[in-house]
Amino acid sequence: AFENCQAFSGVNNSAKSSMDEQDSLTALLDVVELLSSQLDPEKLADLILEKGRALTNSDRCSLFLLNDSKESLASLYQTGVSPPIVLPSNSGIAGKTLNEKKVFNINDCYECQFFDSSTDKSTGYHTKTLLSVPIFSTRGEVIGVTQMVNKKGQENTVFSSWDEKIIQIFNIFCGISIENAKLFKETIETNNQLRGFLDTAFSLTKSEDIKKLINDILKNARETVDAERGSVFLYDKDNSKLNSFLADGGKMQPTIDLDIGIAAESFKQKKGIIENDAYNSPQFNKSIDEMTGYKTKSIIAA
């Protein structure tokens, strides 16, 4: 009777495990359909975070995407952290997964020498079990990492080999969808740029006064790079200053001294400057924002 009971229990557990696996495969097919139809990068990231968590019955999911320079990872968390946290590409278990291109299934993160506990400390969350899986592009390059955090269930429940397989398959479609969304975004941006160039070329063919002509060019340039504001300054040789000639999208300071500021630096160096974090730039002149009440985040000066 005892042997029969054990045999029945074993068969019953195997049957339950098989049914769970079939359910997860069915759910995966539904997820693949959703991923393939989403071209908005932000909505796609939310979808990956939610569906990755659901497929493995995890408490949380994190997504790490490699930047174009391949030097840092932009990390998105299901807790709604915005904007993404930027980390070095060799940081923590995500960095290890990225660089070694393999799956890490960790049963106790605080016993792992590669685990970076800084996020836990800042959020008050405790990460115990972790499944970290690389995302490959269609060219076989690692472009990101998904991490399933804290497997739900009874105490000491860990991620299984089946969870590993499911997320590896899931990540194949994540990689394809991420690349498709990126390509779609680049196509839209390129089309906008071409439209801006065509509008500018059309403006040049019309015989209008110079200020109207440059205003059209400025407006097209601003819209092409999706900027909130644009301005043109002209050099005043007598006073050694830059005078505001035109502004599109908002008012600008009438004059700029040549001893400080990104626009002044661009003028003096005779080259373009891109600054995507203005307030951390030693060249940035904060007094213009203080005077206008506008908050400058990023600048292209040419």
Side-chain angles (χ1 to χ4, degrees):
F2 183 70
E3 285 179 354
N4 285 343
C5 186
Q6 281 187 316
F8 176 78
S9 180
V11 170
N12 190 48
N13 288 339
S14 297
K16 186 178 183 304
S17 177
S18 178
M19 287 177 65
D20 289 343
E21 289 177 3
Q22 287 181 24
D23 288 344
S24 62
L25 282 173
T26 303
L28 180 61
L29 289 172
D30 293 336
V31 168
V32 166
E33 189 176 351
L34 286 171
L35 286 175
S36 61
S37 62
Q38 184 56 255
L39 291 171
D40 184 311
E42 289 186 9
K43 290 180 181 178
L44 178 61
D46 289 340
L47 190 61
I48 290 170
L49 290 168
E50 174 54 32
K51 297 305 178 182
R53 184 198 63 76
L55 284 171
T56 54
N57 195 27
S58 308
D59 186 47
R60 291 187 180 182
C61 175
S62 305
L63 172 65
F64 299 82
L65 296 177
L66 191 64
N67 71 348
D68 292 335
S69 68
K70 299 184 179 181
E71 293 177 352
S72 60
L73 287 165
S75 58
L76 299 105
Y77 300 97
Q78 217 169 3
T79 47
V81 177
S82 181
I85 298 169
V86 179
L87 305 167
S89 59
N90 60 353
S91 174
I93 296 170
K96 192 80 173 167
T97 306
L98 182 84
N99 291 302
E100 296 194 11
K101 302 181 179 180
K102 67 179 187 181
V103 175
F104 284 84
N105 189 350
I106 299 164
N107 295 337
D108 189 346
C109 288
Y110 281 84
E111 293 294 321
C112 176
Q113 60 178 321
F114 310 114
F115 179 61
D116 181 2
S117 61
S118 59
T119 303
D120 274 13
K121 288 174 182 174
S122 63
T123 60
Y125 186 78
H126 183 78
T127 303
K128 182 169 174 50
T129 56
L130 186 72
L131 177 60
S132 187
V133 183
I135 302 171
F136 290 92
S137 71
T138 52
R139 299 177 301 282
E141 300 170 347
V142 182
I143 57 172
V145 174
T146 52
Q147 287 189 342
M148 308 304 134
V149 184
N150 289 349
K151 177 80 172 179
K152 290 181 180 178
Q154 296 178 351
E155 192 175 352
N156 298 322
T157 302
V158 297
F159 290 104
S160 65
S161 58
W162 179 254
D163 290 326
E164 293 181 23
K165 291 174 185 175
I166 280 290
I167 295 303
Q168 282 178 288
I169 298 168
F170 173 67
N171 277 8
I172 291 170
F173 295 99
C174 286
I176 294 168
S177 300
I178 288 167
E179 287 199 314
N180 285 345
K182 187 177 179 181
L183 272 173
F184 182 73
K185 184 181 178 184
E186 287 174 354
T187 302
I188 295 295
E189 288 174 351
T190 301
N191 285 340
N192 289 339
Q193 288 176 352
L194 286 172
R195 191 177 297 111
F197 294 143
L198 286 169
D199 289 344
T200 300
F202 181 70
S203 294
L204 291 169
T205 64
K206 296 187 290 185
S207 55
E208 297 176 343
D209 90 22
I210 189 69
K211 197 160 187 175
K212 174 68 170 66
L213 177 63
I214 294 177
N215 189 66
D216 285 348
I217 294 171
L218 174 63
K219 184 174 182 292
N220 288 327
R222 182 182 64 77
E223 291 176 350
T224 297
V225 298
D226 197 25
E228 288 181 359
R229 293 186 174 190
S231 53
V232 174
F233 291 89
L234 298 180
Y235 177 50
D236 181 349
K237 193 172 183 180
D238 294 333
N239 298 307
S240 193
K241 291 180 182 291
L242 291 173
N243 291 336
S244 177
F245 179 64
L246 281 172
D248 182 57
K251 294 180 179 178
M252 281 302 297
Q253 186 176 350
T255 62
I256 293 178
D257 292 329
L258 289 179
D259 57 349
I260 187 171
I262 292 171
E265 194 65 28
S266 176
F267 174 80
K268 289 186 288 186
Q269 292 186 19
K270 299 181 181 178
K271 69 176 186 180
I273 295 175
I274 297 174
E275 180 51 70
N276 284 313
D277 189 358
Y279 274 77
N280 282 325
S281 169
Q283 297 172 338
F284 180 61
N285 184 4
K286 298 175 185 174
S287 65
I288 297 175
D289 274 10
E290 291 167 0
M291 187 176 295
T292 61
Y294 183 75
K295 177 68 181 287
T296 304
K297 296 175 184 176
S298 51
I299 299 174
I300 296 178

